[in-house]
Amino acid sequence: MPFTHHSHSGEFCMHAKDTLEDIILAAIGKGMRILALTEHMPRDQPEDLYPEEVDANVSNFDLFRTFADYYEKARSLREKYQHAIHILIGFEVDYIRASSIPLINRLQADYNFDLFLGSVHHVNTIPIDFDAKMYAEARQTCGNGTDRDLFDAYFDAQWEMITLLQPPIVGHFDLIRLLSDSPSARLDTWDPEDEGGKILWDKIVRNVKAVVSYGGFIELNSASLRKGWDEAYPRRDICELVQSLGGRFTFSDDSHGVSQVGLNYDKLLQYARSLNIQEIYYLERLPMGQLAIDCLGPCKIRTIALTELENDPFYVNFQRPE
């Protein structure tokens, strides 16, 4: 029962590749059973356009039109391939500022989505994972301009997003580490005289507790592995915290093209095993009119034992993409 709750296509995301149908066919071909389509939400402020969008003369209006096209295409493809794969249609939140919340609520009201991912890609409106230059610019807007100051601001923004939206799944929980000076440094240990270290960790604990309180998932996201990390998002210190608080994990590949569908899922399974995670959670769309307990939005929460998952033909016959 392999699945991913986070994916993008080049048809509707400028920094991805391949069509939405290509992504679905790749997931089917690799034996996935559940695929969540989660293109990025449109941004409504001109200053939030990425350099690649500015270079292509893309406007905010274009982003909204592309988003509408995505929703209709996703609905059509779900019907076309319903015999072969269980498709969830959702979107990835880009929480940038307080005014992002009414926009997100409006999108949820306008479209009949199955789920959404709660993600933070900006601090003080500046992208923190686009490139090193923008990361440095964001860092300079925070306190004394240190990674610690930027981390503090990131987890505060994440807290706002979590508490105001209660996303079913929190995306790449510690994305802020990606371009930092010491991405592998543990955040749960600090010098006794380092009050700032304790404050930062307390914010992370606060955020995880909030997700656990409403039953949300934290994704084990394999995208970090293709970016040079030796662990998935989130890193081990945060995963151990999630476990200690009774949190729920799901699997995501955060694919941005056919070649990344299921990429490094063997390593993701090994990572989960090394953490002694016993079961993985996933979402399943309920048929129209069917009621169930233990849901996130319109989706039923399901679980699978890690031992059962690793014996699935997907893993038994696993071949890492070229």
Side-chain angles (χ1 to χ4, degrees), residues 40-41 43 47-50 53 93-97 100 119-130 134 138 141-142 150 153-158 172 175-176:
H40 289 282
M41 64 175 277
R43 285 154 275 118
E47 59 265 33
D48 296 335
L49 293 171
Y50 283 99
E53 294 166 337
V93 161
D94 287 324
Y95 181 75
I96 302 175
R97 57 179 67 82
S100 300
S119 299
V120 176
H121 298 94
H122 301 71
V123 169
N124 294 331
T125 75
I126 302 172
I128 50 86
D129 66 321
F130 184 80
M134 284 189 165
T141 68
C142 301
L150 182 58
Y154 171 86
F155 285 111
D156 280 343
Q158 187 184 69
H172 33 59
L175 179 66
I176 190 63

Side-chain angles (χ1 to χ4, degrees), residues 163-181:
T163 55
L164 292 171
L165 293 174
Q166 294 194 345
I169 302 172
V170 177
H172 33 59
F173 192 96
D174 54 354
L175 179 66
I176 190 63
R177 286 169 140 159
L178 180 63
L179 297 174
S180 66
D181 292 338

